[in-house]
Amino acid sequence: MVKPLPSFKTLRLSTSKDVRSQSIRRAARLLRKGELVAFPTETVYGLGANVFDPAAVRKIFKVKGRPQDNPLIVHVHSLQQVQFLATSLPVMFWVLADRVMPGPLTVVLRKSSAVAGIVTAGLPTVAIRFPDHPVAKALLREAGVPLVAPSANISGRPSPTRAAHVSEDLDGRIAAIVDGGNCRIGLESTVLDLTRSVPVVLRPGSVTKGEIEKALGIRVRVGRNTAKRPASPGMKYKHYAPQGELIVFEGDRTRILSSMKAFVQSMKGRRTVGVLAREEMAAHFKDTEYISLGSTGPSDAARRLFAAFREMDRRKVDLILCEGFPEESIGTALMNRLRKAATRRIRV
Ligand code: TXA
Ligand code: MG
């Protein structure tokens, strides 16, 4: 007889005021028992597991379909926990901790023996983040152990920025999802390597290179990503991508608009085309699948981008045209994600 696959009912735990502490206690209990629980952070939803439970950590790789050589970020709720996970904390760490922790910055440090090799994919370093989200903080405190948490999506899919996205990818595979509404930032944290004399930004995020330099009073480097030598193990994989083909238009705004319009025209009747662009562009794409990236610039677009990718997939759009944004503040991280997801870039 064929054994049926274990079928899981993934719990959805609300964080509305009346049930919040109960949900957090329940989620923490599941985590301590070795289960996987997704939870909100200010960047994207994370898929949590007890860092000290190797079987639970292994499950993360399995349910996400994540390559074994891609290390995980360890989440903490205090700087004391960092001291337990890392050795020889450099002065630069304390300066940054003072300015941007808790917050959307992950730092790579030398790992202590408390961190198992499966967490760091065998590396001698560990990535650590102190998230700034009330639910994440409360859950970490209640769990009593640091939590490894990659973004709570199937590997290669866009990171989830609301609980429904986590459900889409992981329902039936994980114990619970703590629903904390929409993520405030919408792109993953900045990853900064502090193990060298000059820090290196491995992944841009909402904490910018400029802010880090200002805090530290020195110049930092940006990890260059080549297929052969990725800045960080995770950066060599195609990421964040919608199922449809994605073309990013970069350059002058007026020219972006006219070339996107021309492109839409030329594809008429041939492909299902979708447009991702600022609110002001809506009127030009009335007969097209159009999703607004907001009206306030890169931070609004960052918050909406991954949800828009998923929505385009749901609408079965097979060619997405996306407007590029200026590379200032979070615009640098936004363009990094867009370029990584894109099949083609057009400069106008
Ligand atoms: O905002 C975030 O960072 C979210 C939330 C949930 O905290 N997490 C997240 O995790 O984006 P993940 O696993 O999707 O991305 C972690 C990135 C990967 O690119 C990985 O290669 C890199 O961090 N990383 C982890 N440990 C590292 C290490 N020891 N050295 C260099 N890079 C590391
Ligand atoms: Mg990820």
Side-chain angles (χ1 to χ4, degrees), residues 25 71 74 82 88 93 106 131 138 155 165 169 176-177 181 197 219 221 232 254 289 311 314:
R25 276 200 303 275
V74 184
V82 181
S88 57
F93 167 79
T106 296
S155 270
H165 299 160
D169 283 14
I177 303 169
S197 49
R219 297 301 295 263
R221 290 199 299 121
S232 151
T254 332
E289 295 288 350
E311 176 61 18
R314 207 188 56 77

Side-chain angles (χ1 to χ4, degrees), residues 22-227:
Q22 196 185 324
S23 290
I24 285 174
R25 276 200 303 275
R26 200 158 174 197
R29 230 177 5 248
L30 287 166
L31 286 161
R32 281 195 303 265
K33 274 188 8 201
E35 300 290 349
L36 306 187
V37 176
F39 62 93
T41 81
E42 75 276 33
T43 56
V44 301
Y45 275 73
L47 178 60
N50 175 356
V51 67
F52 302 130
D53 183 340
V57 178
R58 262 195 299 280
K59 263 198 282 194
I60 287 215
F61 287 92
K62 196 164 154 211
V63 305
K64 274 183 62 89
R66 183 180 179 100
Q68 292 280 348
D69 66 350
N70 194 2
L72 302 170
I73 297 176
V74 184
H75 293 66
V76 299
H77 67 78
S78 71
L79 296 178
Q80 237 165 346
Q81 284 187 315
V82 181
Q83 285 177 286
F84 185 64
L85 299 164
T87 59
S88 57
L89 293 176
V91 174
M92 287 187 288
F93 167 79
W94 294 108
V95 175
L96 290 169
D98 192 44
R99 302 279 170 91
V100 281
M101 287 184 199
L105 176 71
T106 296
V107 287
V108 175
L109 299 163
R110 303 233 142 252
K111 82 171 189 72
S112 76
S113 57
V115 183
I118 181 164
V119 170
T120 66
L123 294 174
T125 55
V126 60
I128 301 180
R129 175 158 119 79
F130 182 172
D132 188 18
H133 188 291
V135 173
K137 287 199 270 195
L139 180 61
L140 282 159
R141 227 175 287 121
E142 185 72 28
V145 285
L147 301 174
V148 293
S151 50
N153 51 283
I154 297 282
S155 270
R157 299 259 292 145
S159 293
T161 53
R162 54 180 82 132
H165 299 160
V166 182
S167 289
E168 249 170 49
D169 283 14
L170 299 176
D171 253 357
R173 300 182 184 212
I174 62 176
I177 303 169
V178 184
D179 187 345
N182 292 343
C183 297
R184 177 167 59 80
I185 295 172
L187 299 179
E188 307 84 350
S189 63
T190 306
V191 179
L192 182 71
D193 185 352
L194 285 179
T195 64
R196 309 159 199 229
S197 49
V198 179
V200 186
V201 177
L202 301 179
R203 179 175 73 183
S206 75
V207 176
T208 62
K209 177 173 177 277
E211 284 172 83
I212 295 168
E213 289 180 331
K214 192 158 167 236
L216 296 178
I218 56 166
R219 297 301 295 263
V220 303
R221 290 199 299 121
V222 173
R224 278 200 309 147
N225 264 308
T226 56

Side-chain angles (χ1 to χ4, degrees), residues 281-334:
M281 307 272 251
H284 299 278
F285 299 104
K286 286 221 169 76
D287 312 320
T288 318
E289 295 288 350
Y290 164 87
I291 298 174
S292 166
L293 288 179
S295 49
T296 68
S299 58
D300 219 2
R303 201 173 302 125
R304 293 164 180 246
L305 183 72
F306 290 150
F309 279 175
R310 285 176 181 267
E311 176 61 18
M312 285 292 184
D313 285 348
R314 207 188 56 77
R315 296 189 195 175
K316 306 243 177 313
V317 168
D318 65 338
L319 179 62
I320 303 165
L321 311 182
C322 183
E323 178 187 3
F325 284 78
E327 286 180 86
E328 54 205 35
S329 65
I330 200 174
T332 307
L334 178 68

